[in-house]
Amino acid sequence: MADSPCFTVPAATMQFGRDRTDTPPSRIVLTLPIVADGSSIEWTDATWNPTTGCDRTSPGCDHCYALTLSKRLKAMGLAKYQRDGSSKSSGPGFGLTLHEHALGIPLKWRAPRRVFVNSMSDLFHDEVPLSFIREVFAVMQQTPQHRYQLLTKRSRRLAKLADSLDWPTNVWIGVSVEDDRYSFRARHLQAVPAAVRFISAEPLIGPLPSLQLTGIHWLIVGGESGQLHRPVSLEWIRELRDRCHSAGVAFFFKQWGGQTPKSGGRVLDGRTWDEMPQTTVLQPARIQS
């Protein structure tokens, strides 16, 4: 996704409200939340989008599902997807937008859920003010029954802001690493004082020999899906799985990818791999320079 996680989220699973049109386009107020209570993503239960829109920043964003979906939703006339992003890095309906009325949605969910935050955006996008990020974190802190899963490609901003945020123990934070040129994102992540730090190697488009797993608790791996999907190598995946097991890191194999997310299935070496991290309170990694 355009600097947000590249996972397939069918439009049919999403619930949409109507935006007011008398507010600035970058900070739209909603009468209904942007949320999907239920998700096709294997490692989460629900999605929550206090922001929508993003900008591509690395090759993992090339075939962003959210960018394609936003263009479709704009054409359908959905008000919240009417702000266009840059033609160079974003697209129709995919301009970064804050949705204040979506903030309170998790407060209404009584049953515990794993909640993927911003499946249609990136909370650490440069256009999301620190004050709004703090509002999102405050909601997460008020709902300890849920586990929140945040994923970003903007690891530098994450590391810069980490000490300015209160990190409740139910917040998991991850970075996307699609090939070895972006393994530096894991190094930024390692110093963040979150209860769980994880890496999403999806879409995996190259081997990751430089990836450091010190201080990482969970690794998600998946191949790319879509008409222009890039192939993933069995050896890349096996190497990451074996390194995870040696380092005591939970390993989750999401998909082989192909024309659709389900095309290649999820079986690796005769079984599925659905390991999840332990949810004890953990400290920032001590990285030797």
Side-chain angles (χ1 to χ4, degrees):
M1 154 175 213
D3 211 28
S4 49
C6 297
F7 299 109
T8 299
V9 181
T13 68
M14 307 181 71
Q15 301 173 8
F16 303 103
R18 182 178 298 277
D19 290 333
R20 290 174 50 183
T21 57
D22 57 346
T23 54
S26 61
R27 199 173 181 88
I28 292 176
V29 177
L30 304 181
T31 57
L32 287 176
I34 299 175
V35 63
D37 190 7
S39 174
S40 65
I41 301 171
E42 288 81 357
W43 46 260
T44 200
D45 301 316
T47 59
W48 173 43
N49 285 283
T51 75
T52 55
C54 205
D55 290 273
R56 287 173 291 200
T57 190
S58 62
C61 305
D62 287 353
H63 307 141
C64 173
Y65 79 82
L67 175 58
T68 302
L69 179 57
S70 293
K71 181 178 180 180
R72 187 184 313 156
L73 297 176
K74 174 183 171 69
M76 292 168 58
L78 291 179
K80 70 182 69 63
Y81 291 94
Q82 296 304 307
R83 184 173 188 239
D84 294 342
S86 165
S87 60
K88 294 182 179 179
S89 59
S90 184
F94 206 50
L96 197 286
T97 308
L98 311 183
H99 300 285
E100 292 183 346
H101 281 196
L103 286 171
I105 296 309
L107 300 173
K108 302 176 182 179
W109 290 341
R110 295 184 179 181
R113 292 163 171 80
R114 294 171 299 177
V115 182
F116 180 18
V117 181
N118 275 0
S119 62
M120 296 291 288
S121 188
D122 186 332
L123 190 63
F124 291 93
H125 190 287
D126 289 342
E127 293 183 26
V128 182
L130 175 58
S131 59
F132 192 82
I133 297 174
R134 284 174 169 160
E135 290 183 64
V136 173
F137 270 64
V139 172
M140 296 189 291
Q141 190 165 30
Q142 293 172 49
T143 49
Q145 72 271 30
H146 305 316
R147 299 176 190 171
Y148 292 95
Q149 301 159 315
L150 287 74
L151 185 57
T152 184
K153 286 191 178 76
R154 289 172 167 81
S155 60
R156 287 190 175 90
R157 190 170 189 229
L158 166 65
K160 180 179 179 181
L161 297 182
D163 289 341
S164 301
L165 298 167
D166 293 326
W167 291 86
T169 58
N170 61 330
V171 172
W172 303 4
I173 183 69
V175 296
S176 297
V177 180
E178 65 264 44
D179 68 32
D180 207 44
R181 291 171 292 174
Y182 299 94
S183 291
F184 67 85
R185 292 174 180 154
R187 294 193 292 274
H188 294 153
L189 175 66
Q190 286 163 335
V192 177
V196 171
R197 294 179 289 273
F198 70 96
I199 293 169
S200 173
E202 185 190 1
L204 183 62
I205 57 175
L208 302 177
S210 301
L211 184 66
Q212 296 182 16
L213 294 177
T214 304
I216 303 302
H217 311 113
W218 192 29
L219 176 65
I220 303 166
V221 177
E224 191 169 39
S225 59
Q227 291 184 347
L228 300 176
H229 66 277
R230 290 160 284 189
V232 65
S233 166
L234 171 62
E235 293 309 313
W236 303 343
I237 299 170
R238 279 177 171 163
E239 192 266 343
L240 289 171
R241 178 200 58 193
D242 294 347
R243 287 178 58 198
C244 281
H245 288 172
S246 295
V249 175
F251 176 79
F252 193 106
F253 181 55
K254 181 174 175 287
Q255 64 183 44
W256 285 101
Q259 289 292 322
T260 72
K262 308 298 183 184
S263 293
R266 300 186 57 236
V267 174
L268 169 64
D269 289 336
R271 54 163 288 191
T272 56
W273 300 82
D274 298 324
E275 297 171 359
M276 300 292 288
Q278 298 296 315
T279 55
T280 53
V281 179
L282 301 164
Q283 300 299 319
R286 296 181 180 273
I287 309 300
Q288 296 182 350
S289 59

